Amino acid sequence: MAQRWLGRGLRRWALLSRPMTLGVRLLAFDEAGRVFLVRHSYRDGWYLPGGAVDVGETALAAARREAAEEGHLQCLTEPRLLAVFYNRREGRDHVLLYRCDRAQQVKPRRPDREIAETGFFAPDDLPEGATPATRRRIAEDRAGGGFPEDW
């Protein structure tokens, strides 16, 4: 519970301290066509791996870094940019969505203060609790694109 409050507080601080935030999310698929998702310890639901782009970092480098940090994922194919979204719910936040056609988890990701659970899931059989935005991005990708501007 305390971690959830901390997560909310950090998001609020980020909104107040920066005029705009830039984040990345990654649709990462294994050889079986399953998509990788993470469940955070500080918020409910299953999400695509991702996070903020750090100062001095490219968005592509951030997508690779977040994949490695959150899931011990290695992209075997170059991630490619699919869409840019505006996240109205988070305020001045923009999210870049990348797709990695072949990824592998190089070692299991043990639960810690940030990540509670990870896994690969069939796109048509996502875990209970997969967030609406996560479900939308996967469905849009499966339909061949046509992404909206809003997250």
Side-chain angles (χ1 to χ4, degrees):
M1 181 60 116
Q3 288 178 320
R4 291 177 206 260
W5 284 103
L6 178 61
R8 289 181 187 142
L10 288 173
R11 283 194 302 281
R12 286 187 183 121
W13 175 81
L15 284 173
L16 293 172
S17 65
R18 294 182 236 154
M20 187 187 88
T21 58
L22 180 63
V24 294
R25 291 282 176 185
L26 182 67
L27 280 163
F29 295 90
D30 67 5
E31 290 183 353
R34 299 175 303 167
V35 64
F36 189 81
L37 300 178
V38 300
R39 190 172 64 79
H40 295 277
S41 60
Y42 55 87
R43 76 168 71 159
D44 294 330
W46 287 88
Y47 294 81
L48 298 170
V53 177
D54 291 339
V55 174
E57 181 179 47
T58 67
L60 180 57
R64 286 190 195 115
R65 176 183 51 76
E66 289 289 347
E69 288 177 3
E70 293 190 352
H72 297 306
L73 286 183
Q74 178 183 18
C75 286
L76 303 176
T77 59
E78 184 72 11
R80 68 182 191 281
L81 180 64
L82 294 180
V84 177
F85 299 90
Y86 178 60
N87 187 352
R88 292 179 191 281
R89 195 177 127 225
E90 293 290 333
R92 304 163 297 243
D93 186 38
H94 287 78
V95 180
L96 282 68
L97 179 65
Y98 284 87
R99 188 181 206 282
C100 174
D101 293 326
R102 249 183 64 227
Q104 69 178 11
Q105 192 171 35
V106 295
K107 66 180 180 178
R109 177 63 160 85
R110 298 209 167 156
D112 61 18
R113 290 183 184 176
E114 182 186 4
I115 304 296
E117 197 173 357
T118 67
F120 281 99
F121 300 92
D124 60 353
D125 190 22
L126 298 176
E128 186 173 324
T131 67
T134 299
R135 290 180 181 280
R136 283 193 304 271
R137 300 299 84 86
I138 293 168
E140 291 157 359
D141 179 68
R142 291 184 72 192
F147 298 98
E149 290 184 11
D150 290 339
W151 183 251

